[in-house]
Amino acid sequence: AQSVTQPDIHITVSEGASLELRCNYSYGATPYLFWYVQSPGQGLQLLLKYFSGDTLVQGIKGFEAEFKRSQSSFNLRKPSVHWSDAAEYFCAVAPSGYSTLTFGKGTMLLVSP
Amino acid sequence: GAVVSQHPSWVICKSGTSVKIECRSLDFQATTMFWYRQFPKQSLMLMATSNEGSKATYEQGVEKDKFLINHASLTLSTLTVTSAHPEDSSFYICSASNSGVNYEQYFGPGTRLTVT
């Protein structure tokens, strides 16, 4: 079965600094890959997804992620973090388009002034 | 568009009682709805998948008699926690899909259940 690992439980970044959140997956083939953000009291919002093609995908709110097959990774990046980015971020995978999602444990992003 | 609501947002109930959580798709018809459970510092664990008018499909280890799921219409699914116990206390999140592909899910804001 597929699994998702987010090694960092929480990360603190200064406002304006760059951000990288790590995600590794365990699956034989290339799965469908997703990043979601969850703010307190709100549902999960899809930031971006990767199915195939260009390994660098752009998402909403200035986020991007890069798929690296050799490392089984799908790390999320943002060049300049804003205080409003403070939230919990989840990486998720699905083996195919008709599969359900498997989530990582999440990374809590804290943004310091 | 693609808004999913949940009601209530939080609920406290006594041990042994049952509690119902509603999940509604507000501006689209949800052919499939999903129920997740989220523990603190843990990932979302899929509990069950339901298609409108059909019985829900439960994940391994989820007690179907304890967590009753009804998907009676294309805009409403309910999760009833029967004979709730303190260990059922958790954050329950629903999501809905209208595209026929299960990874395209729109998530509700969640319901915090506390059983005393």
Side-chain angles (χ1 to χ4, degrees):
Chain A
Q2 68 274 15
S3 65
V4 183
T5 302
Q6 293 180 249
D8 303 305
I9 297 174
H10 51 78
I11 283 181
T12 300
V13 176
S14 298
E15 189 168 14
S18 63
L19 168 71
E20 183 169 32
L21 301 182
R22 296 183 290 166
C23 173
N24 292 95
Y25 65 90
S26 172
Y27 186 66
T30 300
Y32 291 56
L33 297 160
F34 308 83
W35 275 101
Y36 288 87
V37 60
Q38 183 182 32
S39 299
Q42 298 186 23
L44 276 72
Q45 181 182 22
L46 179 66
L47 289 175
L48 46 78
K49 59 190 176 187
Y50 173 78
F51 297 158
S52 64
D54 191 347
T55 57
L56 184 64
V57 293
Q58 302 297 321
I60 62 172
K61 303 185 178 185
F63 286 92
E64 65 178 27
E66 185 172 13
F67 167 62
K68 292 186 177 180
R69 185 190 307 274
S70 61
Q71 299 177 18
S72 297
S73 70
F74 188 55
N75 294 350
L76 182 70
R77 302 194 295 243
K78 187 170 185 178
S80 178
V81 169
H82 188 262
W83 63 266
S84 60
D85 293 324
E88 187 147 26
Y89 292 80
F90 291 92
C91 181
V93 303
S96 72
Y98 298 97
S99 302
T100 54
L101 298 170
T102 297
F103 288 87
K105 291 188 177 183
T107 298
M108 178 65 72
L109 172 64
L110 305 173
V111 180
S112 61
Chain B
V3 178
V4 176
S5 70
Q6 281 185 242
H7 178 79
S9 55
W10 59 270
V11 58
I12 301 173
C13 70
K14 292 188 176 182
S15 187
T17 63
S18 295
V19 61
K20 180 183 287 187
I21 302 170
E22 292 186 348
C23 176
R24 292 182 184 273
S25 56
L26 299 185
D27 50 4
F28 66 100
Q29 293 186 326
T31 52
T32 307
M33 285 186 166
F34 306 85
W35 286 95
Y36 294 86
R37 185 173 179 177
Q38 185 181 23
F39 293 100
K41 309 302 181 186
Q42 299 290 324
S43 66
L44 282 74
M45 302 299 295
L46 180 65
M47 299 175 65
T49 303
S50 71
N51 293 296
E52 185 263 340
S54 302
K55 287 186 177 180
T57 301
Y58 290 80
E59 295 298 304
Q60 190 173 8
V62 177
E63 299 176 62
K64 60 180 66 175
D65 294 330
K66 181 167 190 61
F67 298 100
L68 301 179
I69 291 171
N70 183 281
H71 190 168
S73 77
L74 285 172
T75 60
L76 173 65
S77 177
T78 60
L79 167 68
T80 302
V81 183
T82 62
S83 186
H85 291 283
E87 57 265 30
D88 298 324
S89 298
S90 192
F91 195 57
Y92 293 89
I93 300 173
C94 75
S95 68
S97 174
N98 65 344
S99 64
V101 287
N102 287 338
Y103 60 75
E104 287 191 349
Q105 300 178 28
Y106 303 98
F107 288 82
T111 297
R112 172 74 61 191
L113 170 64
T114 301
V115 184
T116 61

